[in-house]
C-alpha cells in the first residue's frame, strides 16, 4: 500500500513505489512545484508509471538503501520474477529504473497513467472554477510525452523511454513544470534523452557522491540499533525533500497523495520539519525555507495588510 511503500526524492522530484492490484507495481511520481497556480496554489497529481506483470503477484521485497539513496526490489509472480533497482538523481530531474525480468515475466509491460489534475479543495470549498484541460500525449524528440495544461497557464509534462540493457531494461522518466509558458514538454523529453545517452556508471557515481558527503555531517552513534536507524531515516527523508536551491517543503514534500492539505502550512508543520537542519549540522538543507522567506517578503507584507489590516507587519496565508 502507499503508506507502506518505498520512496525516493531529490528535493524537487519524488517517487513512491507500492503494489496496486493483483498484477501491478506503481511508481507514483511527484514534483513539489507542480501546483494549481490559482486560489491557494494547491499541489496537483501528476500520475504514475505502472508495471503490469504477466502473472499475479505472489510476494516480494523492497529495501531503501539509505547510504546510496536507491531502492532495490524483487517481485515474484506465478509466472516468474522481476528484480529492480531505482533512484532519482540528486541533480538531474530523472527517475532511473533498471528491471531484470525472468521466466514468463519477460512480457511485463510499462505504461504511463496520468493523474487527474484537479485541486481536491475545489470540491471541498465549492470554488466552481473551470477544470484544468484533459492531459494529452504527443511524440516529442522520439518519446511519448504526457502534457497537462493548466487553466491558469503553463503546463507540466512527463516523458519516459525504455532501452534494452545486457540483463533487462532501463527506464528513464522525467517530469518538468513551466509557468506560464509551454517549455515543460521539451524540457522533459530532453532530460530523458540526455540521461539515456550519459554514462550510466558516472551518473550513478555523481548521485552517490552527494549523499555520501551529506550523511557524515550529522554522524552520531547511539547504543540502540533501532533508534539509530530511525535517526538516519529522518535525514534521508529530509534530504529527499529539501535542497538549498529548490522550493520549501510543503506538507507532502516532493511526493503526492490525495489529501485536503496539499500546500505549505505556516504552523508547527513547517517549523518542526526544518528543526533538524540546525541541530545536526545540515544548515544547507534549511536554506530553501530561508531563501523563500527572503524573496517573498514583499508578498507577506501585502498579505498582512489584506488579511489583517496591518500595514507594518508580514503574514503568511
Amino acid at each position: 500500500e502507499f503508506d507502506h511503500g518505498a520512496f525516493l526524492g531529490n528535493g524537487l522530484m519524488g517517487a513512491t513505489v507500492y503494489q496496486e492490484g493483483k498484477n501491478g507495481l506503481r511508481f507514483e511520481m511527484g514534483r513539489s512545484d507542480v501546483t494549481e497556480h490559482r486560489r491557494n496554489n494547491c499541489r496537483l497529481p501528476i500520475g504514475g508509471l505502472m508495471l503490469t506483470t504477466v502473472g499475479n503477484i505472489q510476494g516480494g521485497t523492497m529495501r531503501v538503501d539509505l547510504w546510496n539513496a536507491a531502492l532495490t526490489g524483487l517481485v515474484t509472480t506465478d509466472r516468474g520474477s522481476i528484480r529492480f533497482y531505482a533512484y532519482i538523481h540528486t541533480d538531474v530531474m530523472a527517475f532511473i529504473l533498471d528491471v531484470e525480468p525472468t521466466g514468463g515475466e519477460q512480457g511485463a509491460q510499462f505504461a504511463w497513467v496520468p493523474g487527474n489534475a484537479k485541486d481536491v479543495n475545489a470540491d471541498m470549498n465549492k470554488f466552481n472554477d473551470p477544470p484544468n484541460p484533459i492531459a494529452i500525449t504527443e511524440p516529442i524528440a522520439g518519446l511519448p510525452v504526457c502534457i497537462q495544461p493548466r487553466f491558469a497557464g503553463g503546463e507540466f509534462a512527463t516523458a519516459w523511454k525504455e532501452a534494452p540493457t545486457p540483463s533487462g531494461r532501463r527506464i528513464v522518466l522525467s517530469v518538468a513544470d513551466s509557468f506560464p509558458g509551454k517549455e515543460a514538454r521539451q524540457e522533459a523529453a530532453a532530460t530523458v534523452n540526455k540521461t539515456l545517452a550519459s554514462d550510466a556508471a558516472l551518473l550513478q557515481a555523481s548521485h552517490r557522491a552527494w549523499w555520501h558527503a551529506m550523511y557524515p555531517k550529522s554522524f552520531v552513534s547511539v547504543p540502540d540499533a533501532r533508534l539509530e536507524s530511525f535517526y538516519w531515516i529522518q535525514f534521508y527523508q529530509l534530504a529527499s525533500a529539501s535542497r538549498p536551491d529548490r522550493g520549501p517543503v510543503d506538507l507532502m514534500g516532493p511526493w503526492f497523495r490525495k489529501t485536503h492539505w496539499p500546500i505549505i502550512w505556516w504552523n508547527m508543520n513547517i517549523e518542526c520539519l526544518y528543526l533538524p537542519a540546525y541541530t545536526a549540522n545540515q544548515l544547507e538543507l534549511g536554506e530553501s525555507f530561508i531563501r523563500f522567506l527572503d524573496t517573498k517578503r514583499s508578498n507577506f507584507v501585502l498579505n498582512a495588510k489584506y488579511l489583517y489590516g496591518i500595514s507594518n507587519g508580514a503574514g503568511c496565508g
Side-chain angles (χ1 to χ4, degrees):
E1 297 177 356
F2 179 94
D3 293 305
H4 303 131
F7 61 93
L8 303 163
N10 68 358
L12 183 60
M13 195 169 87
T16 50
V17 187
Y18 53 96
Q19 183 179 343
E20 188 169 89
K22 293 182 178 180
N23 64 336
L25 190 67
R26 188 178 185 92
F27 299 85
E28 184 73 13
M29 303 306 301
R31 185 166 156 145
S32 53
D33 59 353
V34 171
T35 60
E36 182 65 85
H37 285 282
R38 54 179 169 175
R39 302 292 182 177
N40 54 6
N41 208 26
C42 288
R43 292 273 296 278
L44 294 174
I46 296 171
L49 187 67
M50 179 65 75
L51 171 61
T52 301
T53 59
V54 177
N56 291 331
I57 295 176
Q58 305 293 300
T61 59
M62 286 196 298
R63 185 176 180 86
V64 175
D65 176 355
L66 300 182
W67 177 240
N68 293 314
L71 170 66
T72 58
L74 170 66
V75 176
T76 57
T77 77
D78 54 11
R79 298 289 296 277
S81 66
I82 302 172
R83 292 188 180 275
F84 63 91
Y85 178 89
Y87 69 98
I88 293 179
H89 195 275
T90 188
D91 294 318
V92 182
M93 293 303 141
F95 170 72
I96 300 167
L97 171 65
D98 290 320
V99 296
E100 298 180 10
T102 64
E105 290 303 336
Q106 296 286 349
Q109 297 292 321
F110 283 94
W112 175 253
V113 182
N116 180 10
K118 183 178 181 180
D119 172 9
V120 296
N121 285 322
D123 287 338
M124 184 174 69
N125 297 327
K126 297 181 172 58
F127 291 148
N128 293 320
D129 286 333
N132 286 311
I134 300 297
I136 57 174
T137 299
E138 292 183 359
I140 297 175
L143 307 177
V145 181
C146 180
I147 303 163
Q148 175 59 67
R150 277 182 294 239
F151 175 82
E155 65 184 23
F156 56 91
T158 305
W160 68 285
K161 185 176 182 178
E162 285 189 57
T165 64
S167 57
R169 291 177 264 169
R170 164 163 283 199
I171 295 90
V172 174
L173 181 147
S174 181
V175 181
D177 178 82
S178 62
F179 181 83
K182 296 184 178 181
E183 300 83 11
R185 60 189 75 181
Q186 287 84 8
E187 179 184 340
T191 299
V192 170
N193 283 327
K194 184 177 180 180
T195 303
L196 280 171
S198 300
D199 183 286
L202 292 177
L203 201 65
Q204 186 181 71
S206 63
H207 167 73
R208 291 180 174 181
W210 187 93
W211 286 90
H212 293 176
M214 185 276 293
Y215 283 118
K217 296 178 183 178
S218 303
F219 180 80
V220 296
S221 182
V222 181
D224 183 320
R226 187 177 182 185
L227 185 62
E228 188 170 313
S229 295
F230 179 81
Y231 174 83
W232 290 120
I233 290 169
Q234 307 320 303
F235 283 100
Y236 169 75
Q237 186 170 358
L238 179 62
S240 294
S242 181
R243 297 295 173 86
D245 57 344
R246 291 162 195 170
V249 184
D250 64 10
L251 204 62
M252 296 189 290
W255 308 284
F256 185 89
R257 72 173 302 168
K258 186 175 181 180
T259 171
H260 287 304
W261 301 276
I263 55 175
I264 295 174
W265 288 85
W266 300 100
N267 51 25
M268 287 294 289
N269 284 293
I270 202 164
E271 292 169 10
C272 291
L273 187 148
Y274 280 101
L275 185 62
Y278 300 96
T279 57
N281 195 31
Q282 295 288 353
L283 292 180
E284 122 178 315
L285 295 182
E287 287 181 17
S288 58
F289 181 46
I290 301 303
R291 184 177 292 110
F292 181 78
L293 292 176
D294 288 342
T295 58
K296 304 298 182 182
R297 192 177 300 274
S298 59
N299 283 348
F300 297 150
V301 172
L302 293 175
N303 289 344
K305 186 174 183 180
Y306 175 75
L307 295 172
Y308 309 114
I310 300 173
S311 58
N312 61 345
C316 304

